[in-house]
Amino acid sequence: MGMEAFLQNSTNFILIGLITHPAFPGLVFAIVFSIFVVAITANVVMILLIHVDSRLHTPMYFLLSQLSIMDTIYICVTVPKMLQDLLSKDKTISFLGCAFQIFLYLTLMGGEFFLLGLMAYDRYVAVCNPLRYPLLMNRRICLFMVAGSWVGGSLDGFMLTPVTMSFPYCGSREINHFFCEIPAVLKLSCIDTSLYETLMYACCVLMLLIPLSIISVSYTHILLTVHRMSSAEGRRKAFATCSSHMMVVSIFYGAAFYTNVLPHSYHTPEKDKVVSAFYTILTPMLNPLIYSLRNKDVAAALRKALGRWGPSQRIQVANMIRKN
């Protein structure tokens, strides 16, 4: 991109928001802020529990802690700016700020795609090859999985962000969205971007197919193994082990399928904003809640932590009262 085009593009954009003209912006702010606080709290608690409780020092929970880290950053990419815009008349975002949002959004979404696929492989090994689990899911392999997820996601960000921001935006600067999502930004371009959108569509489908293939193969083997189990208790434990991950995959990939796979004829700006709000705001809140509510180990670790915290706090309060 030439210097003249760069200077032309470097002016601010304006984010219209999730709701164009909300009748009660204070109510919308309160709802979004509450979800944001719950999401941040739930993910940070999940990360801390996995770090401090020795029973959770397993490959599955190590991968889960990385999912919580991704979700924490993910919701921070869009929601703080959204909350600021709800309280301010100035809804502008700088050219570099918009590029930064796009890069982080693509990196974290792609990273979660790959991580959820690798978590399915972890469940496959745990159910189908339990005796070889320590060998097939050792620390080195887990670190390689996590690094691969982050690198795979960042490749998407590094490829698409510069190209998206290199198009000339010489018309309206109003993005009909609450953050800089690529399709909404491209609508402002004053040249034809159809070829790029087709290539981007193919890239996103590929990003979905790779982890979906891992998930499909893993759960096919898991279902066959469970079907051959004679013990009802064994089947129950196998389903309990996989149910939380299956729910998270269904929620995240369902929204991603709408955004990245369905043809343009199914999309409207209003639908796109609702679906984007679902997987950028609600999903980071739901993921840790699903794992904490449906996983006995996490629930037990949380009760243990609360049990430690409660008496210690009561002793501190009692000591303060005696001193006074």
Side-chain angles (χ1 to χ4, degrees), residues 243-259:
S243 59
S244 298
H245 180 257
M246 291 174 69
M247 288 184 66
V248 170
V249 165
S250 300
I251 292 171
F252 191 76
Y253 277 85
F257 182 85
Y258 169 86
T259 302

Side-chain angles (χ1 to χ4, degrees), residues 130-173:
L131 297 179
R132 299 182 64 196
Y133 187 80
L135 176 65
L136 296 176
M137 290 298 297
N138 60 49
R139 182 170 180 79
R140 184 178 179 182
I141 291 175
C142 289
L143 291 173
F144 181 78
M145 285 180 169
V146 169
S149 298
W150 282 100
V151 171
S154 64
L155 286 177
D156 204 25
F158 279 119
M159 286 191 299
L160 298 181
T161 305
V163 180
T164 300
M165 304 311 291
S166 68
F167 287 111
Y169 297 102
C170 50
S172 170
R173 312 296 291 192

Side-chain angles (χ1 to χ4, degrees), residues 169-243:
Y169 297 102
C170 50
S172 170
R173 312 296 291 192
E174 293 186 348
I175 301 173
N176 189 10
H177 217 298
F178 62 91
F179 76 103
C180 290
E181 192 170 34
I182 290 181
V185 174
L186 290 177
K187 289 178 181 178
L188 306 184
S189 176
C190 49
I191 65 171
D192 183 19
T193 60
S194 56
L195 176 60
Y196 172 61
E197 290 182 55
T198 302
L199 293 173
M200 186 176 65
Y201 172 82
C203 178
C204 291
V205 169
L206 182 63
M207 288 281 287
L208 277 170
L209 283 179
I210 294 173
L212 269 178
S213 299
I214 298 173
I215 292 169
S216 299
V217 171
S218 297
Y219 277 108
T220 298
H221 283 286
I222 288 172
L223 289 173
L224 290 173
T225 301
V226 170
H227 178 71
R228 291 194 293 264
M229 287 181 178
S230 57
S231 167
E233 180 66 16
R235 292 182 181 182
R236 187 192 64 78
K237 287 183 178 179
F239 279 119
T241 300
C242 302
S243 59

Side-chain angles (χ1 to χ4, degrees), residues 36 40 70-81 101 104 108 280 284:
F36 178 71
I40 294 294
M70 288 182 178
D71 280 336
T72 302
I73 304 172
Y74 197 28
I75 198 170
C76 289
V77 170
T78 58
V79 172
K81 174 60 180 170
Q101 269 197 344
L104 286 178
L108 293 163
T280 59

Side-chain angles (χ1 to χ4, degrees), residues 1-19:
M1 184 171 63
M3 182 59 68
E4 183 180 347
F6 179 83
L7 292 173
Q8 184 182 41
N9 273 356
S10 294
T11 55
N12 294 340
F13 292 102
I14 300 170
L15 294 170
I16 299 298
L18 178 61
I19 303 172

